[in-house]
Amino acid sequence: MRPGAVRQWVAGEQVSLTRVVTQADAVFDGRLHHHPHEQWLVMLAGELRLQIDGEQFDVTTGDLVLFQPHTVHGAVGVGSEGAEYYEWFAPARYDGLPGYVGRSPLTWSEES
């Protein structure tokens, strides 16, 4: 997890949910990744800059984003007020849960 951001995870059998709070001074290294999960992002507050398959998008409060499985993506910046958002994953991801021992489903992209 990048400095300047906090995540909280919950997971069921089919879906997992992460709440992310990113401070305005969070450090972004530009690294992109992909995974076999569908991922939904729901912006609760602030602004976030995303890169998805080589294109950059700014998302703000109330925006919804769907990342298809294996889409190369990542957050590459945050607005001056920081950001708060939810991320849903299906099937569920367990790698963010406290005490998780195992491999991450993320594959880091050479594009970043």
Side-chain angles (χ1 to χ4, degrees):
M1 190 63 224
R2 73 180 54 87
V6 176
R7 289 180 181 255
Q8 297 172 296
W9 288 74
V10 295
E13 289 186 32
Q14 304 296 320
V15 177
S16 59
L17 172 65
T18 305
R19 177 179 174 256
V20 183
V21 177
T22 301
Q23 301 302 316
D25 61 354
V27 177
F28 291 81
D29 61 11
R31 291 184 68 199
L32 306 174
H33 65 278
H34 60 89
H35 44 72
H37 307 81
E38 286 186 334
Q39 176 181 346
W40 296 269
L41 183 145
V42 178
M43 287 296 295
L44 301 174
E47 185 176 299
L48 195 64
R49 175 158 288 163
L50 302 175
Q51 184 167 322
I52 305 169
D53 281 343
E55 294 188 48
Q56 289 196 5
F57 302 89
D58 289 330
V59 293
T60 190
T61 304
D63 286 346
L64 308 172
V65 180
L66 170 62
F67 303 89
Q68 294 291 341
H70 305 289
T71 301
V72 176
H73 66 278
V76 295
V78 66
S80 62
E81 302 297 316
E84 181 178 359
Y85 52 97
Y86 287 130
E87 296 176 311
W88 275 269
F89 298 91
R93 283 182 52 188
Y94 303 104
D95 54 302
L97 294 173
Y100 175 80
V101 177
R103 295 189 61 181
S104 170
L106 303 181
T107 301
W108 295 99
S109 174
E110 297 300 320
E111 294 179 28
S112 44

